[in-house]
């Protein structure tokens, strides 16, 4: 578990469908939407917890997902995307 990550956020992130992992490097719209839906909440909670109230954490969250999109060619679809995405957010 990552700092500041709620139980609900962990549940959403674990719901990313494994069958879509192989579609991520090809930037499948359906896979990208599922990735965003599964990880937006956990990343939001994580970044907000790291930065604290009153900080521009929304920009960091947006930049995280931009970097995820740009880095999809380096993503290994055999692996869980959660550690990869959280490393980008950090």
């Amino acid at each position: 578990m990552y700092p500041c990550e709620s139980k609900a956020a962990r549940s959403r992130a674990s719901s990313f469908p494994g069958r879509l992992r192989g579609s991520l490097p090809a930037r499948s719209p359906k896979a990208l939407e599922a990735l965003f839906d599964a990880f937006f909440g956990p990343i939001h909670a994580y970044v907000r917890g790291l930065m604290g109230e009153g900080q521009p954490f929304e920009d960091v969250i947006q930049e995280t997902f931009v970097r995820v999109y740009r880095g999809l060619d380096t993503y290994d679809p055999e692996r869980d995307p959660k550690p990869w995405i959280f490393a980008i957010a950090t």
Side-chain angles (χ1 to χ4, degrees):
M1 184 167 100
Y2 293 89
C4 308
E5 187 181 6
S6 70
K7 186 181 279 189
R10 286 192 311 277
S11 174
R12 284 190 299 276
S14 65
S15 69
F16 181 71
R19 70 184 185 287
L20 292 177
R21 288 182 189 169
S23 302
L24 284 172
R27 292 177 169 83
S28 157
K30 185 175 182 178
L32 290 170
E33 181 180 0
L35 185 78
F36 183 81
D37 289 347
F39 288 100
F40 177 80
I43 292 296
H44 182 274
Y46 176 66
V47 170
R48 185 175 181 189
L50 287 176
M51 297 184 72
E53 292 292 326
Q55 298 298 317
F57 60 89
E58 294 89 356
D59 293 342
V60 174
I61 295 165
Q62 179 178 351
E63 183 64 24
T64 296
F65 283 101
V66 167
R67 289 182 181 195
V68 164
Y69 179 79
R70 289 181 180 161
L72 283 174
D73 55 334
T74 66
Y75 169 68
D76 178 1
E78 297 296 318
R79 304 186 73 149
D80 181 5
K82 182 177 179 177
W84 178 67
I85 293 171
F86 274 81
I88 292 170
T90 302

